[in-house]
Amino acid sequence: GIQVEQSPPDLILQEGANSTLRCNFSDSVNNLQWFHQNPWGQLINLFYIPSGTKQNGRLSATTVATERYSLLYISSSQTTDSGVYFCAVDSGGGADGLTFGKGTHLIIQP
Amino acid sequence: SQTIHQWPATLVQPVGSPLSLECTVEGTSNPNLYWYRQAAGRGLQLLFYSVGIGQISSEVPQNLSASRPQDRQFILSSKKLLLSDSGFYLCAWGGSGGARQFFGPGTRLTVL
């Protein structure tokens, strides 16, 4: 099946810093999504971005489908940005089930 | 707007006991429904998906089963729990054709 690799696995930053999270995938995809999991376990859908660039406030994402990678940018980090960020792609099976990477654990220190 | 509910929020069960986790979606019709499991705090694994009432597909062989008795209800079950069934179970819904997926709050299951 398709492989999804995320880097870095862990990242510690000071409040106000910028960061770039990377997601590499092993095959072509029709569906790529970024999620944020907060400390209570809730998964929030940040972006649906199979290709191109999108922005939502301090967050933006870019997917280069031909080169099989996606980037999530976080600018002017806040402590509430802490948590685990997941990249997920369609698994190639039915009904658009997702294959997740192992995530990037982000800690923003005040 | 659409909302997704899961219960219970936490569950502690002995090995060999049965399991029933419920997921319901409001504000949408004929959604695709999914069950995922997250073990050890990282990475989610797709367990089951459903495109309609009574239609269940399994992604991995396991000790669990799923059912969809109503359009917006998805149930995860087991007849006899194993220690390895412990984890964080998340239900999600999405539209057809590669749409975004939205997750419920999850159920933390501990099997002792």
Side-chain angles (χ1 to χ4, degrees), chain A residues 94-95, chain B residues 46-51 55-60 66 74:
Chain B
L46 177 65
L47 301 178
F48 300 96
Y49 64 87
S50 172
V51 299
Q55 301 179 62
I56 308 295
S57 296
S58 174
E59 285 292 301
V60 293
F74 206 21

Coordinates of all heavy atoms in Angstrom, one line a residue, chain A residues 94-95, chain B residues 46-51 55-60 66 74:
Chain A
G94 N -11.3 1.4 -1.1 CA -12.6 1.9 -1.4 C -13.0 3.1 -0.6 O -12.5 3.3 0.5
A95 N -14.0 3.9 -1.1 CA -14.6 4.9 -0.3 C -13.7 5.9 0.3 O -14.0 6.6 1.3 CB -15.5 4.3 0.8
Chain B
L46 N -7.0 2.8 9.4 CA -8.4 2.6 8.9 C -8.8 1.1 9.2 O -8.1 0.2 8.8 CB -8.5 2.9 7.4 CG -9.8 2.7 6.8 CD1 -10.9 3.6 7.4 CD2 -9.7 2.8 5.3
L47 N -9.9 1.0 9.9 CA -10.4 -0.4 10.2 C -11.6 -0.8 9.3 O -11.5 -1.8 8.7 CB -10.9 -0.4 11.7 CG -9.9 0.0 12.8 CD1 -10.6 -0.1 14.1 CD2 -8.7 -1.0 12.7
F48 N -12.6 0.1 9.2 CA -13.8 -0.2 8.4 C -14.2 1.1 7.7 O -14.0 2.2 8.2 CB -14.9 -0.7 9.3 CG -14.6 -2.0 10.0 CD1 -14.2 -1.9 11.4 CD2 -14.8 -3.2 9.4 CE1 -13.9 -3.1 12.1 CE2 -14.6 -4.4 10.2 CZ -14.1 -4.3 11.5
Y49 N -14.9 0.9 6.6 CA -15.6 2.0 6.0 C -17.0 1.5 5.4 O -17.2 0.3 5.2 CB -14.8 2.7 4.9 CG -14.5 1.8 3.7 CD1 -15.4 1.7 2.6 CD2 -13.3 1.1 3.6 CE1 -15.1 1.0 1.5 CE2 -13.0 0.4 2.5 CZ -13.9 0.3 1.5 OH -13.6 -0.5 0.4
S50 N -17.9 2.5 5.3 CA -19.2 2.1 4.8 C -19.7 3.2 3.9 O -19.7 4.4 4.2 CB -20.2 2.0 6.0 OG -21.5 1.8 5.6
V51 N -20.3 2.8 2.8 CA -20.8 3.8 1.8 C -22.4 3.8 1.9 O -23.0 4.7 1.2 CB -20.4 3.5 0.4 CG1 -18.9 3.6 0.3 CG2 -20.9 2.1 -0.1
Q55 N -23.7 -1.8 4.3 CA -22.5 -2.0 3.4 C -21.3 -1.7 4.2 O -21.0 -0.5 4.5 CB -22.6 -1.1 2.2 CG -23.8 -1.3 1.3 CD -23.8 -0.4 0.1 OE1 -22.9 -0.4 -0.7 NE2 -24.8 0.5 0.0
I56 N -20.5 -2.7 4.5 CA -19.3 -2.6 5.4 C -18.2 -3.2 4.6 O -18.3 -4.3 4.1 CB -19.5 -3.3 6.7 CG1 -20.8 -2.9 7.4 CG2 -18.3 -3.1 7.6 CD1 -20.8 -1.4 7.8
S57 N -17.0 -2.5 4.6 CA -15.8 -3.1 4.1 C -14.7 -3.0 5.2 O -14.6 -2.0 5.9 CB -15.4 -2.4 2.9 OG -16.3 -2.5 1.8
S58 N -13.9 -4.1 5.3 CA -12.9 -4.1 6.3 C -11.5 -3.9 5.6 O -11.3 -4.6 4.6 CB -12.9 -5.4 7.0 OG -11.8 -5.6 7.9
E59 N -10.7 -3.1 6.2 CA -9.3 -2.9 5.6 C -8.3 -3.9 6.2 O -7.3 -4.1 5.6 CB -8.9 -1.5 5.9 CG -9.6 -0.4 5.0 CD -9.2 -0.6 3.6 OE1 -8.0 -0.4 3.3 OE2 -10.1 -0.8 2.7
V60 N -8.5 -4.3 7.4 CA -7.5 -5.2 8.1 C -8.3 -6.3 8.8 O -9.3 -6.1 9.4 CB -6.6 -4.4 9.1 CG1 -5.8 -3.5 8.3 CG2 -7.5 -3.7 10.1
A66 N -18.0 -4.3 12.3 CA -18.8 -3.0 12.2 C -20.1 -3.3 11.6 O -20.3 -4.2 10.8 CB -18.0 -2.0 11.4
F74 N -23.2 4.3 12.9 CA -22.1 3.3 12.6 C -21.6 2.7 14.0 O -21.4 3.5 14.9 CB -20.9 4.1 12.0 CG -20.0 3.2 11.1 CD1 -20.5 2.1 10.5 CD2 -18.7 3.7 10.8 CE1 -19.7 1.3 9.7 CE2 -17.9 2.9 9.9 CZ -18.4 1.7 9.4

